[in-house]
Amino acid sequence: MNKMNLKNYWIRIFAIIIGIFFLNSAIADVKTKASSQIFNFLNTIKEFASEKDKSKKEKKSNELLKMIDLEFMSKVTIGKHWKEVNDKDKIEFKRNLFKKFIQFIDLHVEDFKKIKFEQKSIKLRGEKLVYVIGFIDTKKIKNLDIIWKLSAKQNKILDIEIEKISLIKTQKLEMKELLRKHKNDFSKFITIYFKNLN
Amino acid sequence: MINNMFIRILKNKILFKCLLAPFLFLLLVSSCAQNIANKEINDPLENMNRSVFKFNQGFDNFVLKPINTTYEKLPRNVKKGISNHVNWASTPITMVNSAMQMEAENLSTSTIKFLLNSLTLGFYDLDPETKYKTRDFGSTLAKYNVPSGPYIVVPVLGPRSLRHFSGDLVDNSISNNPKNYSYNSKLLPTKIISKRNKYSNVLEDINNSQDPYLKAKILYTENRFNSISSKKTIEQEQQNEQDEFEKLLD
């Protein structure tokens, strides 16, 4: 009986060790993927910023599109109204949101060409989020704190927090106020909000 | 020193009206208030604020932008030196307010850093790794549960909450001699130009947004909330955001 208990005891210990080993390697895998995704993203942005050929630029922008979770970003920025939006407007909104992002890169093209990122740490937040923490140096400002927020499962960028200011949160607050001004008429809001886009 | 300052302000009626009246008003309002951790800033003076904002945009376009274009041509190290010096000169304000907020660590760090950088008159940061939180009288008022009050746009200086602006006035009265303006007030134009240069990208984004007034208000509110909130409040905010994100990822 004692021998049986001892055997079971060692089997349990072994199972726990194996479990911890797999869990750790799974966590390490998620972290490594997230880290390389950020470096890929920044490299693609640099290439996009330096590219002059239109078709190559478009190819790079498609690569960028695959790295960010536009659906999630739209859901967060529009909030509870997102459910009420029809499919056509949803597609239009996501398309324009991405265009706006590309326009932002074009506006700061010189900064993006020389952007440098140094990673400090990677943290798992709950089961679904990974934060890549570090700082960036741009042409003008050095040592800007930055947090890249990614989904652990899809490894896509959800949000960027610069100097504790979340881009998605400021976008959300802006859209909330503008939507209220347009009496929650989403189609009208899209036309006005994205009117400056080419 | 602080006692002398208060006696001086009380003796000077104009200063009393300008500096302490808003502060006392805020204290009075605070006695009825319960919640200060509220991030939202109400904007009952929006129409007036928008007019001042337009004025500020014009001032920026015609005065600050051309100055910034020239300033931009200075060598990077010179610009860094100016920015360091401006920050160094206003460190005593952080020291006094850290003491009032009973933040011993911030007080000691800012004091040591101030004394150390005095060797270079603040132009060169001898210890760039050590950082402290900038504290002003507005943050002291927030610490003692004074509500933020309405959002206002101050000519030339830009967005503020009433609490922040009242705090600025008190901070200036601490660092300046009202009869003979001291070094900090002389530095104000340099401070404005240095900040304008540092945040020129942000200003560009604001001006390119659909509603620049709204964008500036949101960015100010977020930035101010982060700079004056306690670690616990920020952690709570991050937790709420994480919960929201997780729900949406389902």
Side-chain angles (χ1 to χ4, degrees):
Chain A
M1 189 65 186
N2 274 346
K3 266 188 181 175
M4 276 294 281
N5 278 345
L6 200 65
K7 196 181 168 188
N8 283 342
Y9 173 77
W10 284 113
I11 287 171
R12 273 183 204 163
I13 292 286
F14 183 69
I16 289 168
I17 290 169
I18 292 287
I20 290 171
F21 173 77
F22 278 112
L23 189 70
N24 271 341
S25 51
I27 289 171
D29 189 40
V30 167
K31 285 182 175 179
T32 316
K33 274 184 183 170
S35 172
S36 64
Q37 179 77 315
I38 297 307
F39 284 100
N40 276 343
F41 183 71
L42 282 171
N43 282 337
T44 316
I45 281 189
K46 271 184 201 172
E47 285 163 9
F48 175 85
S50 315
E51 195 57 70
K52 279 173 188 163
D53 185 80
K54 215 176 174 185
S55 63
K56 282 181 185 169
K57 223 174 162 75
E58 202 172 318
K59 202 180 160 192
K60 288 290 160 200
S61 84
N62 285 335
E63 282 176 31
L64 287 172
L65 181 62
K66 282 176 194 162
M67 293 181 208
I68 57 176
D69 194 337
L70 219 52
E71 173 77 21
F72 173 85
M73 287 175 175
S74 309
K75 271 186 199 170
V76 177
T77 48
I78 299 302
K80 58 181 180 183
H81 295 290
W82 187 246
K83 283 179 191 167
E84 297 152 19
V85 179
N86 63 49
D87 288 348
K88 191 188 151 214
D89 282 347
K90 275 183 183 172
I91 294 166
E92 186 67 9
F93 180 80
K94 283 192 272 184
R95 197 175 63 87
N96 281 319
L97 195 66
F98 185 65
K99 257 189 174 180
K100 210 170 159 55
F101 167 70
I102 294 294
Q103 196 189 48
F104 178 79
I105 301 174
D106 275 334
L107 198 71
H108 303 288
V109 79
E110 290 307 315
D111 279 320
F112 280 115
K113 271 182 196 171
K114 287 172 188 168
I115 200 164
K116 278 180 197 163
F117 171 63
E118 200 167 312
Q119 189 180 299
K120 271 199 298 195
S121 60
I122 308 177
K123 279 179 189 166
L124 272 178
R125 297 274 303 199
E127 289 173 359
K128 295 172 188 168
L129 298 165
V130 199
Y131 288 8
V132 181
I133 302 159
F135 49 86
I136 47 169
D137 285 347
T138 65
K139 200 181 164 192
K140 257 186 196 143
I141 311 172
K142 298 260 174 204
N143 276 338
L144 272 176
D145 286 328
I146 188 165
I147 303 175
W148 304 85
K149 297 171 187 175
L150 292 99
S151 57
K153 206 175 172 184
Q154 288 184 307
N155 199 29
K156 281 188 173 184
I157 296 165
L158 307 173
D159 185 20
I160 306 166
E161 203 176 286
I162 302 170
E163 291 287 309
K164 289 180 190 164
I165 292 184
S166 149
L167 294 189
I168 213 167
K169 210 191 284 173
T170 49
Q171 193 87 352
K172 181 185 174 179
L173 291 168
E174 192 184 351
M175 295 215 180
K176 191 178 158 190
E177 195 78 13
L178 290 170
L179 254 172
R180 203 175 57 190
K181 260 187 192 165
H182 294 109
K183 292 171 186 164
N184 294 330
D185 183 343
F186 198 78
S187 305
K188 199 178 163 189
F189 159 75
I190 296 179
T191 323
I192 293 167
Y193 187 73
F194 296 112
K195 74 175 175 189
N196 294 332
L197 289 174
N198 303 322
Chain B
M1 184 191 139
I2 292 172
N3 278 345
N4 285 343
M5 179 202 81
F6 274 113
I7 291 163
R8 209 170 62 214
I9 291 170
L10 286 172
K11 276 181 186 169
N12 188 327
K13 282 182 185 172
I14 298 168
L15 260 181
F16 176 76
K17 279 179 191 166
C18 293
L19 303 182
L20 284 184
F23 170 55
L24 292 175
F25 169 74
L26 278 174
L27 279 182
L28 190 75
V29 174
S30 74
S31 58
C32 321
Q34 292 292 317
N35 177 23
I36 60 117
N38 192 1
K39 203 173 172 181
E40 305 248 330
I41 289 188
N42 57 341
D43 191 4
L45 309 166
E46 188 173 341
N47 288 339
M48 192 184 79
N49 283 340
R50 279 189 185 270
S51 309
V52 182
F53 185 79
K54 267 194 176 161
F55 165 79
N56 282 353
Q57 276 186 311
F59 183 77
D60 183 63
N61 263 330
F62 294 109
V63 182
L64 293 178
K65 217 172 177 177
I67 296 174
N68 185 49
T69 315
T70 316
Y71 184 82
E72 186 65 47
K73 287 171 189 161
L74 291 174
R76 197 191 172 101
N77 287 341
V78 175
K79 283 188 279 183
K80 183 76 188 154
I82 293 171
S83 165
N84 284 343
H85 180 70
V86 165
N87 289 338
W88 169 80
S90 59
T91 312
I93 293 171
T94 292
M95 284 149 59
V96 171
N97 284 292
S98 298
M100 284 200 271
Q101 290 176 42
M102 285 178 270
E103 289 182 346
E105 198 186 324
N106 210 44
L107 171 65
S108 56
T109 316
S110 55
T111 310
I112 292 166
K113 205 166 171 179
F114 177 72
L115 293 173
L116 179 70
N117 285 337
S118 299
L119 296 170
T120 65
L121 283 175
F123 283 103
Y124 186 77
D125 192 352
L126 293 166
D127 185 13
E129 296 299 312
T130 309
K131 283 177 184 167
Y132 58 86
K133 282 185 174 175
T134 311
R135 289 283 177 249
D136 53 36
F137 197 66
S139 64
T140 304
L141 291 175
K143 172 101 179 180
Y144 293 105
N145 291 357
V146 175
S148 63
Y151 174 76
I152 50 171
V153 182
V154 186
V156 184
L157 295 176
R160 298 278 189 279
S161 66
L162 182 61
R163 178 181 64 198
H164 185 184
F165 182 57
S166 312
D168 278 353
L169 295 176
V170 175
D171 285 331
N172 282 330
S173 74
I174 293 173
S175 53
N176 293 333
N177 177 348
K179 281 176 190 165
N180 175 22
Y181 281 97
S182 74
Y183 192 59
N184 243 325
S185 60
K186 282 174 192 160
L187 262 186
L188 188 65
T190 320
K191 194 176 178 180
I192 291 172
I193 294 161
S194 171
K195 292 249 165 174
R196 169 65 179 82
N197 182 262
K198 193 177 173 187
Y199 297 111
S200 55
N201 274 353
V202 180
L203 277 173
E204 216 172 318
D205 288 336
I206 288 173
N207 290 330
N208 279 316
S209 64
Q210 213 259 325
D211 183 350
Y213 171 81
L214 178 64
K215 188 91 178 180
K217 185 170 112 176
I218 290 167
L219 286 176
Y220 164 76
T221 314
E222 286 289 309
N223 189 37
R224 187 71 186 156
F225 175 81
N226 288 327
S227 60
I228 66 171
S229 296
S230 65
K231 206 177 168 187
K232 200 179 160 188
T233 315
I234 290 174
E235 276 172 2
Q236 184 58 48
E237 181 80 7
Q238 284 170 342
Q239 188 57 47
N240 293 343
E241 187 196 77
Q242 187 188 326
D243 293 344
E244 189 193 346
F245 278 20
E246 283 188 337
K247 219 184 262 177
L248 287 169
L249 279 171
D250 279 335

